[in-house]
Each structure stands twice: as C-alpha cells, then as structure tokens.
Amino acid sequence: MTSQSQGIQQLLQAEKRAKDKLEEAKKRKGKRLKQAKEEAIAEIDHYRLQREKEFRNKQTNVMGSQGNLSAKIEEQTTETIRNLTSSYHKNMESMMKKLLNTICDINPEVHPNFRHTV
C-alpha cells in the first residue's frame, strides 16, 4: 500500500510540476505576445514617421513650386500693369484729341436715303 501511496504522491507531484510548467509557459507566452505587440507598435510608429516625413518633403516640393509659380505670376502681372500704364500715358493725349475732334467737328450732311418731297 505504501508503494501505491508513493506512486500516487509521485503522480500528484508530476501533475503539480506539469501544471507549474503550463503556467510558466502561459506566462512566457503572455510576455512574448506583449513584447511582440510592443515591437509591432514601435515598427508601426517608425513606419508612420517615415511616411509622414516623405509626405512633408513632397508637400514642401509641391508647395515650393507653387510658391515659385505664384511669384512668377505676380511678377508677370506687375510687368503687364506697368506696360499698360506706360501705354496709357503715351497715348492718352492723342486719343483725347481724336475723341474731341470726332465729337466736336460735326459736319451736317443729308442722309443718302433722305427724299426731299415738295
């Protein structure tokens, strides 16, 4: 009976060791999952930062070229305004004379379609 009792004790101890090993394995698995999650989050953050940096660089390039384009358009507009103002000042006097001559110099004439009936 003692050998049977010792066998049962050995089985209980073996079962306890197996249960301890399972708990230890579960703890290691939990730690590993937690570590893998943290590594994944770190990798995702690194990737996100890298993509945001690339996006900002592209945005800067595009916005920079738009800024250059805006400056170029502004320069062209200023040049056009300057040319139009210069042309206005050059031609204002002669145009005013032509306009006044056309308005003030009236030559009354009978219209060709007018029929004089007496």
Side-chain angles (χ1 to χ4, degrees):
M1 193 89 141
T2 56
S3 89
Q4 197 175 24
S5 174
Q6 280 182 338
I8 292 175
Q9 286 297 326
Q10 286 179 348
L11 284 174
L12 288 175
Q13 287 176 354
E15 185 178 338
K16 186 177 183 220
R17 283 192 305 260
K19 195 182 282 187
D20 290 342
K21 284 185 180 185
L22 279 175
E23 286 179 24
E24 184 65 32
K26 284 181 183 179
K27 286 180 185 178
R28 281 195 314 260
K29 181 181 176 184
K31 285 181 184 179
R32 181 62 189 129
L33 285 174
K34 187 176 179 181
Q35 182 183 9
K37 184 178 179 181
E38 290 172 357
E39 288 173 0
I41 289 173
E43 189 175 336
I44 289 169
D45 288 342
H46 177 71
Y47 180 75
R48 181 182 296 128
L49 289 174
Q50 180 184 0
R51 297 299 287 179
E52 285 177 359
K53 183 179 178 183
E54 289 174 12
F55 174 73
R56 277 187 256 118
N57 286 340
K58 287 181 182 180
Q59 188 177 26
T60 302
N61 291 340
V62 169
M63 294 305 254
S65 65
Q66 285 181 353
N68 293 342
L69 184 62
S70 176
K72 188 182 286 187
I73 289 172
E74 184 70 29
E75 184 180 317
Q76 288 175 349
T77 304
T78 305
E79 183 65 27
T80 303
I81 290 171
R82 194 177 309 120
N83 288 340
L84 288 173
T85 305
S86 172
S87 175
Y88 167 77
H89 288 299
K90 274 192 227 174
N91 298 320
M92 182 181 71
E93 186 91 19
S94 64
M95 281 306 298
M96 289 300 286
K97 284 181 183 178
K98 286 181 183 179
L99 184 62
L100 287 174
N101 284 339
T102 304
I103 292 172
C104 294
D105 293 343
I106 299 174
N107 294 326
E109 296 177 358
V110 176
H111 196 276
N113 291 336
F114 177 74
R115 292 185 188 174
H116 184 66
T117 56
V118 180

